[in-house]
């Protein structure tokens, strides 16, 4: 990926790369806390569940009952508030030394709940969302290279399945939301690659998306467009046929009108599918 070098781009990327916030909390993968040095901090499993439940909304008050639901939704302790207090004490002990050294962490008790007081940039999910918002903003301003750089930083934060070692109903709903956000970020960056005429660079990403979302017509359309622009008309049409057969066999329906229209335009070698066309990112 080419890195933007405009003053605005460098300011945006530098802000998100600041390491002065000390501790880093990872949710985009297995749940981890790392010291400023990069060392992984040991966390018992129950304490890790509480950290995930609090870090989901850093700096925001979370009621005791909400935390109990997130941590013990299926197997609630006999005395849930006592159990929550114990886990909160363990979390303070596990992360307290690093928090005191850097001033980057405080687990604050408030009436009826807790607040994880950390810089939001220390939590990878919050950093991911902030980077994506900034990428969308700069893309709307026409700063394509800057936006691609920001999307790239956001997507690099993903280290596997989110909350992969937390198997609770709340974590599953959080994973579903994060997968949707991940898909939207990938699609957003792909559209920018196509707008910039860099269709070859986004093909691996599009093939992966098509495998992960086999009925997604938006993804299929972007893949068809990228293949067509790369001179692979037959592959683009094969992509449509594979999706159509899959939908007919498994869903009992045909692709929608937008995708069928794209197939017809590729068959006709419509020049409006070329670089710089208004149609380029409207599939």
């Amino acid at each position: 990926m080419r890195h933007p070098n405009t003053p605005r781009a460098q300011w945006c990327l530098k802000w998100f790369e600041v390491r002065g916030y000390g501790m880093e909390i990872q949710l985009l993968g297995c749940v981890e806390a790392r010291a400023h040095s990069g060392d992984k901090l040991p966390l018992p499993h129950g304490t890790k569940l509480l950290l995930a439940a609090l870090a989901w909304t850093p700096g925001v008050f979370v009621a005791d009952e909400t935390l109990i639901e997130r941590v013990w939704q299926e197997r609630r302790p006999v005395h849930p508030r006592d159990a929550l207090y114990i886990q909160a004490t363990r979390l303070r002990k596990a992360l307290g030394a690093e928090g005191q050294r850097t001033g980057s962490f405080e687990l604050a008790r408030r009436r009826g709940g807790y607040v994880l007081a950390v810089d939001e940039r220390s939590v990878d999910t919050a950093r991911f969302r902030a980077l994506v918002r900034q990428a969308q903003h700069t893309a709307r301003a026409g700063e394509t290279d800057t936006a691609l750089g920001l999307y790239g930083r956001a997507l690099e934060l993903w280290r596997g399945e989110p909350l992969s070692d937390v198997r609770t109903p709340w974590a599953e709903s959080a994973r579903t939301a994060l997968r949707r956000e991940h898909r939207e970020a990938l699609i957003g960056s792909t559209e920018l690659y196509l707008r910039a005429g860099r269709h070859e660079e986004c093909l691996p990403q599009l093939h992966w998306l098509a495998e992960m979302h086999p009925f997604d017509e938006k993804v299929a359309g972007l893949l068809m467009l990228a293949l067509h622009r790369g001179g692979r008309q037959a592959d683009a049409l094969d992509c449509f046929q594979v999706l159509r057969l899959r939908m007919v066999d498994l869903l009992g329906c045909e692709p929608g009108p937008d995708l069928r229209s794209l197939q017809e335009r590729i068959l006709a070698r419509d020049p409006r599918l070329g670089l710089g066309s208004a149609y380029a990112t409207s599939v």
Side-chain angles (χ1 to χ4, degrees):
M1 177 185 294
R2 295 181 301 195
H3 295 288
N5 56 13
T6 66
R8 178 186 176 87
Q10 293 303 317
W11 182 88
C12 289
L13 297 178
K14 183 179 179 181
W15 190 90
F16 286 106
E17 288 173 352
V18 170
R19 298 190 60 83
Y21 43 78
M23 186 185 304
E24 294 190 44
I25 299 170
Q26 174 183 299
L27 303 182
L28 298 175
C30 59
V31 177
E32 291 183 357
R34 292 188 177 274
H36 187 265
S37 63
D39 294 335
K40 181 178 175 181
L41 301 173
L43 294 174
H45 183 68
T47 308
K48 187 179 293 187
L49 296 179
L50 179 59
L51 176 62
L54 286 162
W56 182 248
T57 50
V60 176
F61 172 84
V62 186
D64 289 342
E65 191 59 35
T66 299
L67 291 170
I68 291 166
E69 283 292 318
R70 290 179 180 179
V71 176
W72 297 290
Q73 185 169 352
E74 293 184 322
R75 302 180 65 180
R76 181 179 288 231
V78 176
H79 302 290
R81 279 182 168 75
D82 291 342
L84 180 61
Y85 176 81
I86 290 169
Q87 292 301 339
T89 301
R90 290 175 179 174
L91 182 58
R92 285 196 189 95
K93 182 177 179 181
L95 306 184
E98 178 67 14
Q100 289 176 5
R101 190 179 68 81
T102 63
S104 61
F105 165 87
E106 181 187 2
L107 178 55
R109 176 67 181 170
R110 300 287 184 264
R111 184 179 178 85
Y114 292 88
V115 176
L116 182 65
V118 294
D119 188 313
E120 70 169 13
R121 288 173 292 173
S122 69
V123 183
D124 59 359
T125 49
R127 201 154 72 250
F128 168 77
R129 288 166 175 153
L131 282 161
V132 169
R133 286 194 300 269
Q134 189 63 32
Q136 293 167 341
H137 176 76
T138 54
R140 286 192 294 270
E143 301 176 38
T144 300
D145 283 347
T146 302
L148 281 171
L150 289 163
Y151 270 126
R153 292 292 193 277
L155 293 168
E156 285 170 1
L157 293 172
W158 284 68
R159 301 173 180 86
E161 183 76 356
L163 302 162
S164 59
D165 49 351
V166 180
R167 297 297 168 184
T168 64
W170 167 76
E172 186 53 46
S173 67
R175 271 190 289 275
T176 299
L178 286 167
R179 290 187 197 112
R180 182 169 57 250
E181 293 178 47
H182 188 231
R183 170 194 172 275
E184 290 169 357
L186 285 166
I187 287 176
S189 67
T190 296
E191 289 178 327
L192 289 180
Y193 275 119
L194 290 171
R195 184 187 302 173
R198 296 161 62 181
H199 41 272
E200 292 293 338
E201 293 179 56
C202 67
L203 275 173
Q205 183 167 290
L206 277 170
H207 281 297
W208 182 85
L209 269 171
E211 290 180 8
M212 296 299 295
H213 305 278
F215 298 103
D216 194 316
E217 295 185 42
K218 174 76 171 180
V219 171
L222 290 170
L223 178 56
M224 290 166 63
L225 184 59
L227 290 167
H228 174 70
R229 286 187 172 180
R232 298 166 60 182
Q233 184 190 35
D235 289 339
L237 295 172
D238 284 346
C239 179
F240 175 85
Q241 290 301 331
V242 168
L243 176 63
R244 178 185 175 277
L245 290 173
R246 184 184 297 128
M247 292 183 69
V248 170
D249 289 346
L250 300 178
L251 302 180
C253 63
E254 296 274 350
D258 290 344
L259 201 63
R260 294 199 304 271
S261 174
L262 177 61
Q263 181 218 20
E264 292 167 3
R265 289 171 181 266
I266 290 174
L267 278 168
R269 300 183 184 275
D270 188 338
R272 287 176 294 177
L273 295 180
L275 299 178
S277 68
Y279 189 80
T281 58
S282 64
V283 294

